[in-house]
Amino acid sequence: CNFFVRKMLLNQSRWVYTKGTFSTRTNLSLKGISSFIKTGFNKKLIFFAFITSLFVSLFLGTDSSGRLIGTLGEPNFFASFLIFIWPFIYFASFKKRNYEFIIKLLCLLLSILFVFLTGSRSGLIALTVESIFIILTVIFSRKLYLVSLITLFVLLLNLLLPFREKGSLWENRLQIWQTSFEAGKINPLFGSGFGNIEKPLKIASEKLGENNWVRYQPIDSTHNIILDFWIQGGIVGVVLLILLISSSLITFLKTKNLLLITLLIGLLTV
């Protein structure tokens, strides 16, 4: 999930190829994405990738806990993939308008079903938040800023859910978040380096005492992008992440790019 988020956010500063020349300008990259979506071949390619991944995932089976692993080999990664690809289908236009609503509704229902089979709670929440945003944009089509603020508020409410978890020792989100906050204090300025989450978590877990079970679990993500950057990039990493998210959201709002706003909100939630 963080990979998808970083790729989308860094799209503003990466080199993009446009009509034979290279450019780093955001408006060109946004136009490139828009043209990518509108192209018939690419639309069919996205739809084919979506359906194929669902079909193949049925043959790949589940992990030891009965969660569908999908084509990426891990339930949460597969859920993130579905959350990322579904909006492309929703915002695509179809030549046969009679079937457009049916196809989009079917893809949404399939996404909900397969995300449910992955057992990813954050994945289901992300789909819900994406759906809320889309419904609000239809109802309040001329109030995009207000709709975005409401959706972001719903997203922030998602952060309170781990505080309601009870009785779970294995990958307890609240305990992981508490341990993650302590782990970030090991190297608060620049972090412990990207890709290094398990070791700082283990050290912090040992400091927090015997009742903290995080050190006995193979955790490679805190399920919170802010805490991930706090551990790996420290204060510098968190500040840069917030600046990237803010600047990206403002740019997407100015250009009224509903697809990219939906993707950003969904991936930040999951």
Side-chain angles (χ1 to χ4, degrees), residues 1-7 9 155 158-159 177 194 197 221-234 237-238 241-242 244-245 264-265 267-270:
C1 174
N2 288 343
F3 169 77
F4 285 129
V5 173
R6 288 196 295 270
K7 289 291 285 184
L9 294 177
L155 190 155
N158 173 51
L159 299 178
W177 286 10
F194 286 93
I197 286 184
S221 172
T222 66
H223 303 287
N224 184 310
I225 190 171
I226 300 295
L227 289 175
D228 280 342
F229 271 73
W230 165 238
I231 296 174
Q232 300 173 101
V238 172
L241 174 67
I242 293 173
L244 280 171
I245 293 174
L264 181 60
I265 291 173
L267 293 177
L268 286 176
T269 306
V270 75

Side-chain angles (χ1 to χ4, degrees), residues 4 49-51 53-54 57 68 72 75-89 107 110-116 118 127 130 263 267:
F4 285 129
F50 176 76
I51 297 298
S53 64
L54 299 183
S57 67
L68 196 69
L72 296 176
N76 290 322
F77 290 167
F78 187 48
S80 298
F81 166 76
L82 294 175
I83 292 161
F84 180 79
I85 199 171
W86 172 74
F88 281 95
I89 298 173
C107 289
L110 286 173
S111 297
I112 294 172
L113 174 61
F114 277 80
V115 170
F116 177 79
T118 64
L127 272 177
E130 284 184 342
L263 291 175
L267 293 177

